[in-house]
Amino acid sequence: MGAAYETIYFKADACDGCNECMSACARAKAQSDDQLQSRIQIVPSGEGFELALCRQCGDPECVLNCPAGALAKNAGSGVIAWDGSKCVNCLLCTVGCAYGGIAYDAQAGHVIKCDMCAGDPACVKVCTTGALKHVKTARIYNEVGNLEDLFAPGLSGCQGCNTELIMRHTLRRIGPDVVVATPPGCIPGMGSVGYNGLTGTKVPVFHPLLTNTASMLAGVRRHYKRMGRDVMAVALAGDGGTADVGFQSLSGAAERGEEILYICVDNEGYMNTGMQRSGCTPYGAWTSTTPVGERAHGKTQDAKNLPLLMVMHNCAYVATASTAFMQDLYDKLERAIEAAKTGFAYLHIYSPCTTGWRFPSDQNIEVARKAVETNFVLLWEFNPRDGLQLTHPAENAKPIDEYLEVLGKYRHLDPDQVEHIERTLANNLARIRGFAAAKGTASAEAGRG
Amino acid sequence: MSAVLAPKPAKAESKLVVCDGNEAAAWAVSLANVDMVAVYPITPQSSLVEYLAKFIADGRLGAEIVDVEGEHSVLSVLQGACLAGARTYTASCGPGLAFMFEPYLRTPGMRLPLVMTIVTRDTLTPQSVWGGHQDAMSVREVGWVQMYCESVQEVLDTTIMAYKIAEHHDVMLPVNICHDGNYLSFGAARCELPDQAEVNAFLGEKDVNWHVALDPQRPMAVDPLTGGAGGPGPSAFVRYRKGQCSGMQNSLKVITDMHEEWGRRFGRSHAPLIESYRMDGADYAIVTIGSMTGAAKDAVDAARARGEKVGLVKVKTYRPFPAEALASALAQVKAFGVVDRSVSFGWNCGPLFQDAITAMQCAPTRIPAMSFIGGLAGADLTVTHFERVIGRTKELARDGRPAATVWLNEKD
Amino acid sequence: MHHAHYLIVGASHAALSALHAIRLHDTEGDVTLLTRDDSLPYSPTVLPYVVSGRSDPGRVFLRDEAYFAEHKVNYLRGANVRNLNAGANAVELADGSRIGFDKLLLATGAAPLLPPIPGLAGLKFHVLRTLADALALREALPQVKRALVLGGGLIGMHAAENLAKGGVDVSVVELQPHVLSGYFDAEAAGIIEGVFSSKGVHLLTGKSVASVAAKGAGCRALLADGTEIEADLLLVATGVAPVTDFLAGSGVATERGVLVDEHMRTNVANIWAAGDVAQARGFFSDSRIINGILPDAVDQGRIAGMAMAEDPGIKTYAGGVPLNTYSFFGEQAVSVGVHEGALDSSGVEVKKQVDAAAKRYLKIVLKENRLAGIFGVNSAFDPGIMWELILRAIDLGDEKLAFLRSPQDTARALMSRNWR
C-alpha cells in the first residue's frame, strides 16, 4: 500500500477574500509584502473566491515535465520539492500543472510553489474563516492503511452504510488481539458474526444478547486479565441495545470500571428490525413506531443524551464522534483504546442510516457532516482528569434546516416542531458548555455521585 | 440423612466443620478452585455470596469476584468468562432467577459448563421470601442439569461433583445444584470438608472452552445465526438441539460415575439419580425430592415399625429425569404418592408427580399414583405430614382410586 | 536472446513516462529500456544549459540506478537498435544481439536534420541533441570569439544566448522572416529579437545560407544575399527529424514520423510509439502531426504505457496542441495553442495587448467563445491551465470579457470551479 499525505483543503464558500493567506505566504517564503510572491493565490470568482495552489499531486505532471530533474515528490512528506540548483528556468513545469500550482515569480526570477511549510503551513494559520484547513487525515491512512481489515469483504450492509465504515475502521485500528461483541442489530445483521457456519469477522466475535453486551465482555476481559493476557474487549453495539434494554448492564459495567471499549453506533433507532423508535431517536423523527399521520407527527420526546449519561458514570473516557470527522474520530479511538486498558471507555459514534433516515446512499458522510455543522451532533470528549471539552467548534453553526431538509424522516416537520428541535439543541449545547466550563470539577462531582 | 459414613481412605485429610448449606456451598466453590464468581444478593441466597466474598477477601479462594448490578449480568459475566476459559460459579433464586432467565435460557445451547446453586425459593406472587421449589421447577425445561440435595454435606459434595459433571466432554452443560431455601440454606449441620489435594485430583484440569471460545489465539464466531425455513434450512439448528439432548441423556451415566468415584475417593456416597429407601418388599411408596426427605424417611421408618409395607424413593437428579431408574424402583409397588414442593399450574398437580407418572408409562401395568403438594412458602414438612401421605397412599394401594391433588399445608 | 514483456526503445521523456505508467499498473512484468547513450536518462531540453554551465552535467539525469532497481527495470546503455523484425517480435542491436518483446514502444525521439547546404558535409560543425554534443560544444567555447548559429528555433536561440553571455560575437541565420516562428508571430518574435539585438546578437532572419567552407580553424558562410560571415564555431540547429531509419522494412507505417492512433499504437498491434518520433493526431486538425514538445511526449508516453499494460483507466489522446515556454535573458515567453491564421476564421476573436517598450506582449485567440491560443511575452498566465481550457473546450460564457481582461485570474477561477 502506498502512502497518503497531508494536504491543504480549500472551502470556496467560506473564503471572504481577505488575502491574509497570501500575505502570510509571501512573508514566510519571500520575506516580502508582495502578494504576487505568495505561492497560494486567491482569485475573485463572481461573488466569491477561488484558489490556485499546488495540489502536491500523487502523479505529478510537473515532475515528469522537468528536463533538469529539479522537481521531485518526496515519498515521505508527499511534498513536491523544487531544487533551485538544478532548475534551468525553462517553465515546462508550468505547462504540466493544470492547477496554477507552480508559476513564475518575476521578483524571484524562477518558478515558485507551495512546500507545505514543513508541515505547518503559514497560510492556514492566518485563515480565520475556515476556508483553508490543514488536513492531516493522511496520518490515519499511513498508520492503519497497512493494517488488516478484520472484517471479511462482502458484509451485507445496506448500500452506503456508515456503520460498516465504523466497524472496519475501528477494528483495523484495534487489531487482532481482541474479542468483539456485536449484540443483535445491524452489525451482526450484516453478517459480522456469521450465518450457517460462515463468519464475517476474522477475530473472535459473538452475539451477546441485546441486553448483556457489557457484562459478557466484562467476564471475558476479567478472566484474561486474571490469566495475565492482554486481550481487548470491544463492543460494537447499536443505540437501542445500548441506551434502552442494554443500559443496565452498560451502567453496571461502567460503574465497576470494567476494562472495556464500548462503541455505540448511534443510528437513532432500531434500524435492523425495521426502523423502530429507540431512546436515542430524536424528537420529531419518523420511525415505523412513531409514524406520521393525521394525529401523530413522529416522535414526541427528545433523545436521551446517552454519552452524557456515561460521563456521569465517571468513565475513564467518553467521547462523541462522527465519520465526517475521521481525524477526530481516530484521535478519540486512540484515547479510548488507551483508556480501556485501565477502565471503561465509551465512544458514541453517530451513524446516519441511509435506509432508515431516508436519504440517498451516496450522501452519508455529507449528512454526518451537516449533523455536526448544525450542532445537531456535538463532538466532545471527557476524561476524569480534564473534564469535558468540545472538540469541534460549536460557534457559527449552520441553520438546522440544512440538516433536517436532507432527511426524509423529518420531511413532515411543522415550524413548531423545528422550533422544538432548535430549543433542544440550544439546551444541549448550553448543558455541554456548562460541563466544559466546569472542567475537572464536574468529573470529581460525578465521581462522588 | 442420606450420607452413608464409611471408613475414609488414609490419604484424605478432611476436617469437620459445622455449617449451613449456604456456607457448605461456598466451601465447595472454594475447594473447586473456581476462577470467577459473579454475585448479586437475594434472600435466602445472600449469606452464600457473603461467605464467598469473605473467602476471597481472606485469600482462601483465589477467584475474581464480580459484584454486578443484577442477576441478568451475573450469568452474562460468567458466560463471557467461561468463553474465555474460566471455571465459574454463582447462586440465585426466585425473582433473581427469573431476572436472569434470558442468559439462563441461552447457557445450555452454548454448552457452557457453568455451575450455579439455586437456593430454592417460592416465586412471586404472592409476595414471599421463603423456601419452595417453584423457582427451580419453573426452569426445568430449559436444559440445565438439576440436582436436588437432601443435606448440608450433600450440598458440599454435589457442588464439587457438579464441575466434573458439567465439564465432562460427553455432557458440556450447565448444572444447577438446588438446595432448599431456609431448611438447607440456614440449617447448620456437621459437615466434612474434603482434602484440597484430593479434590484437585478428583476434578483434574479444567477444560471449559475447548469446544467454544472467545480467544484471539483460536478465533471463531460464537453463536452465528443458523438457517431457518428458507435458504440453507434448519439442519444446523436441529443438530445443535439434538446434541444438547444427547448431552443431557449422557449426563445420567456421568452423574452416576462421578458419584461412584466420589464415594471411592472420599468414602462418602450419595445416591446419584434416585435413592431407594426401605423399598424391599414395599407394597406402596412415597416419592420425595430435596430436604423434605429426612422427615419422610423418619415417617417411613415409623410406619415400617408399625408393620406397614411402605418404602421411599428420593429423586436427586431431576433433569435429566431418571425415568428408567424411577420406573424400576417403583415397578413392584401397588401405588405411590409423590410429594412436590411446587406446582404445575396447567395440570393442577406437582411437577415431580407429572414426571413420575410419565416415567411409569413403561411399567407393565398402570400403577395408581397421587400428587401431594407441601412445603410451599417455606412451610415445614414434618413427620406428621408424611404420615398423612403414607396413609393416603396406602388407601390408594388398596382401592386403586386416586383422588385429586392433596395440599398438605393448606390448614397449617 | 533476452525477451522482454515490455521493450522500450529510448530513454527520454516519452519512454520514462511510459515506464512510469506501466509500473503503476503492472509492477512485475519484465521491462527493458534501451538507450543509445552511455549514461543515465536525460532530457535533450536541458542540453543548452549544460553548454552554458548552468546545469552540472553530472546532475541532469532524470532517473538513477536505484529507481531502475526499485522498479525492476532492465536498463541497457549503449544499445543502438539497428532494425526491427516485427514479425519475429525482436529488435536487433548494432552489436548484432537481439532482444525479443511482447510489446514494444518506439520512443527514439528525433535527431538533428542537416540542411542541404553545399560545403557543410566536409566541415567541422556542432549540433546539440545528445549529452555528448553538449559537452563537445561546451569544451569548444573557450576558444571561440565568433560563432555562427544556423537556425532561429529554440535550440539555436538558447545556444546563441549562452554564447553571447560568454562574450562570443554571435550571428544567427534563420530562413523564416522571424525567429521562433513555430510558436510566435512576428510581433512577439520582434520583442524577442529586440532583446537579442540589444545583447549584441546578430539576427539574420529571412536569410538562407548558400554555402559554407572552412576558414582556418573555423568557417565562412556565404548567404544567398551575398553576405559573408566568418566564425570560429558553427552550430547547426535548423531542426530535427524523427529517428525512424531502423524501421525500414519492418512493416511499421511511417510518414514523417511513426504513425500512431489515439492510443499511440502503430499499425502493428503490439508496437506503440510516443514522443518526438510519433506522428499523432493534432488537436486542431484531423491530420497527424509531429508536435515535438516535451509535455506532449510525457502525455503520449503515459497513454502508450497504459495501453501496453492494459490499464483500464486509459484515456484517449486528445491531440497535440502546440505549446512552449521560453526564457531568454531573464524574460519569459509562453505560447499555448494556435494562432488565428491556423483556424477557419468564423467565430474567431483575437485580442492583443502589446507594449513593445516594456517588452510585454499578450495575444488571446478565441474560437466560438473557447480558447484556441494564448501567447505572451512577459505576461503572466498559467500555461497548464490554458492547455486544459483548450483540451476541455471550456465555454467562457459570461466570463469571456473577464478572461480577455485578466486571463490568469479568470482562468484560475475557472479551473478551481471546474476541475478542483
Side-chain angles (χ1 to χ4, degrees):
Chain A
M1 205 167 275
Y5 305 111
E6 297 177 2
T7 189
I8 294 171
Y9 165 81
F10 177 66
K11 203 171 175 191
D13 52 7
C15 179
D16 64 2
C18 72
N19 290 351
E20 281 301 319
C21 53
M22 294 204 278
S23 297
C25 181
R27 276 196 301 274
K29 293 298 165 190
Q31 293 76 48
S32 159
D33 289 328
D34 182 357
Q35 290 181 353
L36 285 175
Q37 290 203 268
S38 168
R39 296 155 187 210
I40 182 170
Q41 289 290 329
I42 301 292
V43 293
S45 171
E47 299 293 295
F49 299 90
E50 293 287 350
L51 167 89
L53 176 69
C54 175
R55 263 64 168 168
Q56 317 292 352
C57 293
D59 188 15
E61 188 105 356
C62 58
V63 173
L64 287 170
N65 271 9
C66 178
L71 289 167
K73 187 171 177 73
N74 183 301
S77 67
V79 170
I80 297 164
W82 172 77
D83 180 350
S85 75
K86 286 185 175 178
C87 178
V88 296
N89 249 352
C90 69
L91 306 184
L92 284 167
C93 50
T94 68
V95 179
C97 180
Y99 302 102
I102 185 162
Y104 184 72
D105 174 359
Q107 299 284 328
H110 55 73
V111 291
I112 54 170
K113 67 175 296 301
C114 170
D115 63 2
M116 300 285 291
C117 294
D120 188 19
C123 54
V124 177
K125 284 194 281 192
V126 298
C127 182
T128 55
T129 64
L132 289 176
K133 265 185 212 152
H134 184 204
V135 180
K136 292 177 247 179
T137 29
R139 182 177 58 87
I140 297 169
Y141 180 84
N142 292 334
E143 281 176 11
V144 305
N146 281 325
L147 300 179
E148 189 180 2
D149 183 346
L150 294 171
F151 287 103
L155 292 180
S156 58
C158 301
Q159 192 171 31
C161 178
N162 202 324
T163 298
E164 182 177 348
L165 189 74
I166 292 168
M167 291 158 61
R168 291 186 186 278
H169 273 287
T170 50
L171 210 51
R172 187 195 288 268
R173 174 64 188 81
I174 287 164
D177 224 4
V178 68
V179 170
V180 179
T182 74
C186 293
I187 294 170
M190 67 176 83
S192 59
V193 183
Y195 184 48
N196 257 350
L198 297 172
T199 174
T201 310
K202 302 177 194 172
V203 295
V205 64
F206 68 105
H207 249 143
L209 298 163
L210 191 54
T211 45
N212 69 357
T213 306
S215 24
M216 273 190 87
L217 281 175
V220 171
R221 169 70 182 180
R222 285 234 198 174
H223 185 61
Y224 279 121
K225 195 173 184 196
R226 180 177 143 80
M227 296 290 110
R229 283 178 61 187
D230 187 17
V231 174
M232 261 204 99
V234 172
L236 283 165
D239 55 289
T242 303
D244 295 345
V245 75
F247 185 69
Q248 172 168 326
S249 68
L250 172 71
S251 173
E255 178 270 329
R256 294 191 303 274
E258 302 288 357
E259 295 165 2
I260 294 171
L261 169 52
Y262 195 107
I263 298 172
C264 174
V265 178
D266 182 2
N267 55 18
E268 300 181 347
Y270 295 90
M271 296 302 149
N272 188 55
T273 42
M275 308 146 212
Q276 294 87 4
R277 156 211 207 277
S278 82
C280 283
T281 303
Y283 172 88
W286 169 92
T287 70
S288 58
T289 50
T290 55
V292 176
E294 210 167 292
R295 294 168 60 182
H297 305 93
K299 196 185 173 201
T300 53
Q301 307 84 11
D302 286 317
K304 76 165 84 164
N305 194 329
L306 193 56
L308 204 52
L309 277 166
M310 299 316 289
V311 168
M312 300 315 289
H313 286 73
N314 206 22
C315 297
Y317 187 73
V318 181
T320 62
S322 162
T323 44
F325 297 85
M326 287 306 283
Q327 196 173 317
D328 180 67
L329 193 158
Y330 263 93
D331 287 347
K332 288 169 175 172
L333 184 58
E334 213 157 279
R335 289 194 274 276
I337 290 168
E338 197 53 37
K341 289 178 179 158
T342 56
F344 196 89
Y346 179 82
L347 206 50
H348 193 99
I349 308 179
Y350 292 93
S351 187
C353 170
T354 66
T355 310
W357 298 12
R358 302 182 167 178
F359 61 88
S361 58
D362 62 347
Q363 288 299 303
N364 213 314
I365 299 302
E366 276 317 301
V367 168
R369 190 188 315 283
K370 283 188 169 125
V372 172
E373 289 178 344
T374 57
N375 281 356
F376 194 89
V377 160
L378 297 171
L379 298 184
W380 50 263
E381 66 180 348
F382 164 87
N383 70 58
R385 195 189 64 236
D386 306 314
L388 185 151
Q389 38 217 322
L390 282 156
T391 57
H392 182 87
E395 299 86 29
N396 308 318
K398 291 185 171 169
I400 189 61
D401 287 349
E402 287 192 21
Y403 175 66
L404 300 177
E405 72 193 10
V406 293
L407 303 177
K409 67 172 175 173
Y410 294 121
R411 199 168 35 215
H412 58 280
L413 293 184
D414 62 36
D416 287 348
Q417 286 179 300
V418 173
E419 198 183 307
H420 177 111
I421 291 171
E422 280 171 338
R423 217 162 37 237
T424 301
L425 297 188
N427 287 342
N428 282 347
L429 179 58
R431 196 169 297 132
I432 290 293
R433 279 188 169 143
F435 277 99
K439 291 283 173 195
T441 322
S443 63
E445 283 165 9
R448 286 198 294 275
Chain B
M1 305 294 269
S2 71
V4 179
L5 290 175
K8 290 185 299 198
K11 62 177 177 176
E13 288 284 326
S14 59
K15 70 172 187 181
L16 287 172
V17 293
V18 174
C19 68
D20 62 21
N22 278 358
E23 186 177 350
W27 277 111
V29 172
S30 177
L31 287 162
N33 274 322
V34 305
D35 298 296
M36 192 176 294
V37 172
V39 295
Y40 189 84
I42 184 167
T43 303
Q45 159 264 35
S46 301
S47 66
L48 196 166
V49 302
E50 288 164 9
Y51 284 122
L52 283 171
K54 184 78 167 69
F55 286 180
I56 291 168
D58 291 345
R60 180 172 292 158
L61 170 57
E64 185 83 8
I65 185 164
V66 191
D67 290 284
V68 295
E69 79 292 341
E71 289 87 351
H72 193 284
S73 283
V74 161
L75 219 48
S76 303
V77 164
L78 298 184
Q79 286 178 352
C82 185
L83 285 163
R87 180 178 279 170
T88 65
Y89 178 78
T90 192
S92 191
C93 64
L97 181 61
F99 181 42
M100 70 165 59
F101 187 63
E102 195 191 16
Y104 182 88
L105 193 62
R106 196 184 190 204
T107 311
M110 291 206 287
R111 309 299 294 267
L112 299 181
L114 305 190
V115 171
M116 166 181 165
T117 297
I118 301 178
V119 186
T120 60
R121 170 176 163 177
D122 243 319
T123 57
L124 311 179
T125 266
Q127 191 67 246
S128 162
V129 293
W130 317 114
H133 288 167
Q134 197 65 47
D135 53 358
M137 286 293 167
S138 295
V139 295
R140 66 189 183 276
E141 299 305 355
V142 169
W144 288 59
V145 171
Q146 280 193 348
M147 292 186 285
Y148 288 73
C149 295
E150 180 185 341
S151 68
V152 169
Q153 185 71 57
E154 193 178 11
V155 167
L156 188 146
D157 295 350
T158 304
T159 304
I160 296 172
M161 279 189 276
Y163 285 98
K164 198 161 179 185
I165 294 161
E167 293 170 17
H168 194 285
H169 284 204
D170 292 345
V171 179
M172 296 310 292
L173 286 169
V175 174
N176 283 147
I177 308 103
C178 306
H179 74 243
D180 291 5
N182 303 54
Y183 295 96
L184 286 175
S185 64
F186 305 140
R190 171 185 180 278
C191 188
E192 212 174 304
L193 299 183
D195 173 61
Q196 181 69 62
E198 193 61 26
V199 171
N200 294 351
F202 170 76
L203 286 178
E205 283 298 307
K206 70 164 184 276
D207 188 13
V208 300
N209 69 345
W210 56 275
H211 60 310
V212 56
L214 288 171
D215 185 346
Q217 289 171 2
R218 288 186 284 152
M220 65 172 83
V222 173
D223 211 6
L225 192 63
T226 59
S235 72
F237 184 93
V238 173
R239 274 183 284 119
Y240 275 110
R241 267 287 187 274
K242 203 175 156 198
Q244 218 178 313
C245 286
S246 301
M248 279 298 256
Q249 290 311 304
N250 293 345
S251 73
L252 288 169
K253 178 174 189 307
V254 173
I255 290 167
T256 307
D257 292 349
M258 292 311 132
H259 279 71
E260 195 270 328
E261 187 187 343
W262 184 267
R264 256 189 294 120
R265 279 186 186 271
F266 299 98
R268 209 166 41 243
S269 293
H270 307 280
L273 306 178
I274 59 164
E275 181 191 353
S276 293
Y277 183 77
R278 305 200 74 168
M279 284 295 289
D280 294 343
D283 274 346
Y284 60 97
I286 63 171
V287 180
T288 62
I289 185 164
S291 70
M292 68 169 78
T293 308
K297 282 175 178 171
D298 289 348
V300 166
D301 287 344
R304 279 279 186 175
R306 293 195 304 271
E308 297 291 345
K309 288 188 165 180
V310 63
L312 177 149
V313 178
K314 178 192 80 171
V315 173
K316 174 175 188 180
T317 299
Y318 180 61
R319 283 292 180 270
F321 196 74
E324 226 171 283
L326 188 74
S328 133
L330 296 174
Q332 304 304 322
V333 300
K334 296 192 179 71
F336 61 92
V338 181
V339 186
D340 271 282
R341 211 170 190 133
S342 60
V343 305
S344 168
F345 290 103
W347 286 89
N348 194 34
C349 63
L352 177 59
F353 170 75
Q354 252 189 317
D355 284 305
I357 59 173
T358 307
M360 294 315 290
Q361 259 227 117
C362 30
T365 53
R366 193 182 71 84
I367 301 172
M370 268 181 67
S371 175
F372 298 85
I373 291 171
L376 303 188
D380 199 4
L381 281 175
T382 62
V383 173
T384 314
H385 291 109
F386 285 105
E387 278 170 355
R388 274 174 64 197
V389 173
I390 289 167
R392 187 63 189 84
T393 308
K394 183 182 177 185
E395 211 176 298
L396 179 63
R398 201 170 48 233
D399 64 15
R401 286 158 54 188
T405 297
V406 176
W407 296 77
L408 293 173
N409 304 102
E410 201 177 359
K411 293 171 181 157
D412 288 358
Chain C
M1 179 179 82
H2 179 72
H3 186 91
H5 184 56
Y6 304 102
L7 181 64
I8 299 175
V9 185
S12 192
H13 290 282
L16 294 173
S17 174
L19 167 63
H20 178 71
I22 288 169
R23 276 294 178 249
L24 282 179
H25 191 68
D26 176 357
T27 54
E28 295 302 323
D30 181 302
V31 182
T32 295
L33 209 63
L34 306 180
T35 176
R36 282 184 301 249
D37 287 292
D38 205 17
S39 67
L40 286 165
Y42 62 87
S43 171
T45 306
V46 84
L47 297 177
Y49 307 96
V50 173
V51 177
S52 72
R54 175 166 186 148
S55 293
D56 174 350
R59 297 179 73 222
V60 295
F61 301 113
L62 299 173
R63 301 287 184 273
D64 58 14
E65 296 289 1
Y67 173 88
F68 292 124
E70 187 194 335
H71 292 85
K72 298 179 203 155
V73 177
N74 184 22
Y75 181 65
L76 295 184
R77 306 165 193 231
N80 206 345
V81 175
R82 191 158 65 190
N83 69 62
L84 163 67
N85 186 340
N89 289 332
V91 296
E92 189 188 341
L93 303 187
D95 66 4
S97 64
R98 283 155 59 85
I99 298 175
F101 59 83
D102 296 327
K103 301 177 182 192
L104 172 68
L105 174 64
L106 304 171
T108 43
L113 183 66
L114 297 180
I117 298 171
L120 186 62
L123 208 60
K124 186 181 167 213
F125 61 91
H126 289 267
V127 291
L128 189 54
R129 187 67 188 180
T130 67
L131 190 54
D133 296 339
L135 294 173
L137 186 53
R138 193 177 72 161
E139 208 169 307
L141 285 182
Q143 289 80 47
V144 175
K145 292 198 171 58
R146 289 174 303 171
L148 173 58
V149 176
L150 301 188
L154 277 171
I155 293 177
M157 295 298 278
H158 272 303
E161 179 183 346
N162 293 333
L163 289 163
K165 282 176 176 168
V168 177
D169 182 41
V170 187
S171 300
V172 178
V173 179
E174 169 57 52
L175 187 64
Q176 298 296 324
H178 59 82
V179 298
L180 299 168
S181 58
Y183 303 106
F184 298 101
D185 64 10
E187 209 165 352
I191 293 173
I192 297 169
E193 288 166 359
V195 171
F196 271 78
S197 299
S198 73
K199 302 291 179 185
V201 177
H202 314 290
L203 296 175
L204 301 124
T205 53
K207 314 262 186 213
S208 62
V209 181
S211 65
V212 287
K215 171 118 196 268
C219 70
R220 183 179 61 198
L222 176 64
L223 305 192
D225 66 358
T227 314
E228 268 192 19
I229 303 167
E230 289 187 9
D232 311 321
L233 179 142
L234 175 62
L235 173 67
V236 179
T238 46
V240 294
V243 177
T244 57
D245 49 338
F246 67 101
L247 296 175
S250 68
V252 174
T254 61
E255 277 178 10
R256 285 183 298 126
V258 179
L259 294 168
V260 293
D261 66 11
E262 58 197 22
H263 285 162
M264 301 298 128
R265 194 198 294 254
T266 69
N267 63 315
V268 180
N270 63 336
I271 300 178
W272 288 260
D276 289 2
V277 76
Q279 190 176 345
R281 84 183 218 199
F283 183 79
F284 292 99
S285 66
D286 291 334
S287 59
R288 290 194 269 196
I289 61 168
I290 295 174
N291 206 21
I293 55 161
L294 192 160
D296 220 26
V298 168
D299 239 24
Q300 293 182 356
R302 178 191 299 108
I303 291 167
M306 290 175 89
M308 291 167 78
E310 295 170 36
D311 187 330
I314 190 167
K315 285 189 183 129
T316 300
Y317 179 59
V321 174
L323 44 84
N324 228 317
T325 57
Y326 177 47
S327 292
F328 57 99
F329 294 109
E331 321 283 348
Q332 329 298 327
V334 176
S335 102
V336 182
V338 289
H339 295 275
E340 62 276 25
L343 297 167
D344 161 17
S345 62
S346 75
V348 170
E349 287 175 73
V350 178
K351 184 181 177 192
K352 207 186 262 197
Q353 288 171 277
V354 185
D355 181 348
K359 294 176 280 188
R360 231 196 305 278
Y361 166 96
L362 176 67
K363 180 170 85 176
I364 298 170
V365 180
L366 304 183
K367 166 89 173 167
E368 278 145 12
N369 226 35
R370 292 166 170 82
L371 184 65
I374 180 165
F375 312 88
V377 178
N378 291 327
S379 289
F381 58 83
D382 304 297
I385 295 177
M386 299 304 174
W387 187 11
E388 200 66 24
L389 283 176
I390 293 172
L391 291 179
R392 291 177 187 235
I394 299 270
D395 189 332
L396 297 175
D398 295 343
E399 313 215 29
K400 184 175 82 178
L401 290 178
F403 183 84
L404 292 174
R405 193 168 55 241
S406 176
Q408 182 175 45
D409 280 4
T410 311
R412 282 174 172 179
L414 280 167
M415 169 279 295
S416 187
R417 285 207 306 276
N418 283 289
W419 63 84
R420 66 157 163 257

